[in-house]
């Protein structure tokens, strides 16, 4: 029976004793899960934060908006390939273990990002520069597709049942911490080097920083053993067909639920933490450095609050947190985007408040997703559902929002995009089954 086939208000399954003692969930396990997310979202964040520079360096069209849209389309291309990466790395992780798959994702991401940092520009080789940029972004997308599914499985399978929400929230903290680090690095570089140097060659520095970050991630992950849940299920896993086949045959409802819950998570993430930065500069007229400091503060508050939302889900359940965040994302975007136009203080306040919506979603998501799938398809299930949501609403968000403002002439139009995705996640959350406290070894069919 698929975990999602139960009625919406079915009581949570009985809480079982944690299979792994709490002492085993050491900080290094959580760090190993989070470090890849830090690298992934640092790299994705940097691309978004220097999008206006990349547009000028790689897409020379004579039209600034057209060049920016091409840059954001390339940004979105990586998301199209994330489901493919989820299937590839998910298969490897479900059949052969979480540890090695996670090591491979962090290495590939670091290589792809470092490549962007050394690419020749349009001025040097013409359209070939854009082609190389697209190739590097494809590599990033494939690597990112396997990252969070593996990290979520890894930490969730080590975590005590009663603290899974909290500990999985730390993995997602890595995602926001990566974006925070990207925003901080770009902001400091603009402040220290100035706009001229950043537009000349300084934009390359953040991409090159990804290489040592990847090395650190590899070292941390290489020192860890396999998860207790995967080790216990190895004999059963060897008898099964390809994880993607079983997933789509027996767990398609859970996969669709994962997609629906991810729609708002990703639209909010890339609207609030990437697009709003562009919006503040282009539509509001805010100085570049001030816009970056606003993004940095927004991310810092969201990172700090994420463990609270994860722990809250351990107490009141995953479903109520999803419902509350979805309702907030229907009610707050329109007044929030109005406040963005009110001046620096109001814009920063609106930025921070909108960021808390995504903080809540990220704080609860990975523990809920891990509890939807049995061990033998958990990596693939999370990776596919999560990344289809990313492809549909994440990579497209900055492009759609930029296009909406240009097409309608209204700086409030991105709010409607965010509200539309919130409706999808709200309807999904209303039908999801509560899984708080579930013993992952009991999710077998």
């Amino acid at each position: 029976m698929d975990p999602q086939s139960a009625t919406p208000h079915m009581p949570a399954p009985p809480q079982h004793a944690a299979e792994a003692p709490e002492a085993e969930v050491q900080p290094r396990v959580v760090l190993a899960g989070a470090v890849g997310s830090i690298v992934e979202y640092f790299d994705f964040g940097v691309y978004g934060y220097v999008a206006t520079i990349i547009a000028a360096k790689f897409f020379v069209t004579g039209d600034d908006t057209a060049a920016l849209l091409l840059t954001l389309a390339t940004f979105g291309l990586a998301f199209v390939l994330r489901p493919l990466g989820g299937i590839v790395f998910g298969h490897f992780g479900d059949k052969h273990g979480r540890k090695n798959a996670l090591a491979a994702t962090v290495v590939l991401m670091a290589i792809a990002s470092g490549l962007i940092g050394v690419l020749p520009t349009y001025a040097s080789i013409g359209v070939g520069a854009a082609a190389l940029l697209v190739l590097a972004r494809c590599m990033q997308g494939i690597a990112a597709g396997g990252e969070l599914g593996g990290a979520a499985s890894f930490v969730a399978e080590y975590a005590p049942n009663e603290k899974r929400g909290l500990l999985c929230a730390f993995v997602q903290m890595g995602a926001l911490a990566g974006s925070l680090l990207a925003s901080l690095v770009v902001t400091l570089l603009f402040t220290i080097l100035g706009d001229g140097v950043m537009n000349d060659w300084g934009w390359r520095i953040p991409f090159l920083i990804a290489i040592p970050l990847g090395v650190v991630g590899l070292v941390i992950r290489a020192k860890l053993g396999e998860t207790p849940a995967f080790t216990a299920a190895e004999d059963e896993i060897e008898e099964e067909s390809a994880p993607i086949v079983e997933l789509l045959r027996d767990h398609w409802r859970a996969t669709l639920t994962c997609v629906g819950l991810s729609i708002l998570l990703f639209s909010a993430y890339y609207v609030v933490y990437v697009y709003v930065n562009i919006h503040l500069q282009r539509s509001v007229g805010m100085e570049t450095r001030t816009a970056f400091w606003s993004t940095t503060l927004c991310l810092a508050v969201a990172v700090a609050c994420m463990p609270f939302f994860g722990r809250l889900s351990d107490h009141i359940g995953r479903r109520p947190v999803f419902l509350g965040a979805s309702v907030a994302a229907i009610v707050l975007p329109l007044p929030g985007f109005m406040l963005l136009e009110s001046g620096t203080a109001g814009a920063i306040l609106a930025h921070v408040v909108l960021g808390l919506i995504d903080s809540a979603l990220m704080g609860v998501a990975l523990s809920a997703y891990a509890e939807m799938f049995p061990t033998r398809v958990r990596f693939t299930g999370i990776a596919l559902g999560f990344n289809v949501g990313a492809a549909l609403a994440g990579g497209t968000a900055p492009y759609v929002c930029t296009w909406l403002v240009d097409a309608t002439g209204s700086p409030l139009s991105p709010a409607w995009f965010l509200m539309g995705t919130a409706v999808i996640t709200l309807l999904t959350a209303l039908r999801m089954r509560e899984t708080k406290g579930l013993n992952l070894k009991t999710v077998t069919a």
Side-chain angles (χ1 to χ4, degrees), residues 332-350:
L332 295 178
L334 201 55
F337 269 80
M338 290 178 180
L339 198 56
L340 289 176
E341 308 290 321
S342 67
T344 301
I348 293 174
L349 175 62

Side-chain angles (χ1 to χ4, degrees), residues 316-380:
I316 68 172
R318 320 303 185 204
R319 188 169 175 267
V321 178
F322 273 115
L323 289 172
S326 300
V327 171
I330 293 173
V331 173
L332 295 178
L334 201 55
F337 269 80
M338 290 178 180
L339 198 56
L340 289 176
E341 308 290 321
S342 67
T344 301
I348 293 174
L349 175 62
H351 205 171
V352 170
V353 170
L354 291 173
L356 287 174
I357 297 173
D358 198 60
S359 179
L361 292 165
M362 295 182 74
V364 68
L366 294 189
S367 56
Y369 297 168
E371 291 161 349
M372 293 178 187
F373 302 100
T375 301
R376 62 183 181 271
V377 297
R378 182 168 294 125
F379 193 143
T380 304

Side-chain angles (χ1 to χ4, degrees), residues 113-137:
S113 301
L115 178 61
I116 295 177
V118 298
L119 286 180
T121 63
Y122 183 93
S124 300
I125 63 171
V127 295
L132 290 173
L133 178 64
V134 168
L135 175 62
R137 286 294 295 168

Side-chain angles (χ1 to χ4, degrees), residues 65 68-69 72 275 278 282 397-407 414:
T65 298
L68 180 58
L69 286 173
L72 295 178
Y275 170 73
I278 298 171
R282 288 172 56 86
Y399 182 97
V400 170
C401 291
T402 301
W403 178 83
L404 281 172
V405 172
D406 187 61

Side-chain angles (χ1 to χ4, degrees), residues 43-412:
D43 298 339
F44 271 58
V46 164
Y47 188 95
Y49 298 144
V50 299
T52 53
I53 298 177
I54 290 177
K57 294 293 183 182
F58 291 90
F59 300 100
V60 180
T61 66
D63 182 333
D64 289 345
T65 298
L68 180 58
L69 286 173
L70 285 171
T71 303
L72 295 178
T74 305
F75 178 82
L77 178 63
F79 287 82
V80 175
L81 290 174
R82 283 178 67 146
L84 174 61
I87 293 171
V88 172
F89 284 107
H91 177 92
F92 187 72
D94 279 330
K95 296 292 284 186
H96 304 291
R98 314 331 190 180
K99 174 184 171 181
N100 292 333
L102 286 173
T105 61
V106 75
V107 170
L108 183 59
M109 178 63 76
I111 291 173
S113 301
L115 178 61
I116 295 177
V118 298
L119 286 180
T121 63
Y122 183 93
S124 300
I125 63 171
V127 295
L132 290 173
L133 178 64
V134 168
L135 175 62
R137 286 294 295 168
C138 289
M139 292 171 60
Q140 282 187 323
I142 291 172
E147 174 53 45
L148 272 178
S153 299
F154 187 82
V155 174
E157 290 172 359
Y158 265 110
N161 300 327
E162 69 279 3
K163 287 189 176 182
R164 188 174 297 117
L166 173 64
L167 294 174
C168 286
F170 282 107
V171 177
Q172 286 285 49
M173 276 185 71
L176 276 193
S179 293
L180 173 60
L181 180 60
S183 179
L184 185 60
V185 167
V186 172
T187 302
L188 289 175
L189 287 173
F190 267 109
T191 302
I192 295 169
L193 300 179
D195 291 2
V197 174
M198 280 297 290
N199 281 280
D200 185 17
W201 56 267
W203 63 272
R204 297 181 181 274
I205 296 174
F207 291 106
L208 296 175
I209 289 174
I211 297 176
L213 284 178
V215 172
V216 171
L218 177 62
V219 170
I220 292 173
R221 287 181 167 179
K223 293 181 178 180
L224 292 174
E226 197 48 77
T227 70
F230 180 85
T231 301
E234 277 187 297
D235 291 340
E236 176 188 354
I237 288 169
E238 290 178 0
E239 298 173 359
E240 294 297 329
S241 60
I244 186 63
V245 174
E246 181 184 353
L247 182 75
L248 297 179
R249 183 188 66 222
D250 300 332
H251 306 283
W252 59 271
R253 289 186 182 87
T255 304
L256 288 177
T257 298
C258 191
V259 172
L261 295 175
S262 297
I263 292 291
L264 175 58
L265 186 156
F266 276 102
S267 70
Y269 186 101
Y270 286 100
V271 169
V272 176
Y273 305 133
V274 177
Y275 170 73
V276 167
N277 186 288
I278 298 171
H279 182 88
L280 290 174
Q281 297 176 61
R282 288 172 56 86
S283 297
V284 179
M286 185 178 285
E287 184 184 26
T288 300
R289 280 185 287 273
T290 305
F292 278 116
W293 281 118
S294 178
T295 302
T296 301
L297 176 62
C298 177
L299 285 164
V301 173
V303 168
C305 292
M306 199 174 298
F308 164 77
F309 291 115
R311 192 59 177 151
L312 181 65
S313 78
D314 284 328
H315 287 290
I316 68 172
R318 320 303 185 204
R319 188 169 175 267
V321 178
F322 273 115
L323 289 172
S326 300
V327 171
I330 293 173
V331 173
L332 295 178
L334 201 55
F337 269 80
M338 290 178 180
L339 198 56
L340 289 176
E341 308 290 321
S342 67
T344 301
I348 293 174
L349 175 62
H351 205 171
V352 170
V353 170
L354 291 173
L356 287 174
I357 297 173
D358 198 60
S359 179
L361 292 165
M362 295 182 74
V364 68
L366 294 189
S367 56
Y369 297 168
E371 291 161 349
M372 293 178 187
F373 302 100
T375 301
R376 62 183 181 271
V377 297
R378 182 168 294 125
F379 193 143
T380 304
I382 298 173
L384 184 62
F386 193 75
N387 288 307
V388 170
L392 292 174
T396 59
Y399 182 97
V400 170
C401 291
T402 301
W403 178 83
L404 281 172
V405 172
D406 187 61
T408 66
S410 171
L412 304 181

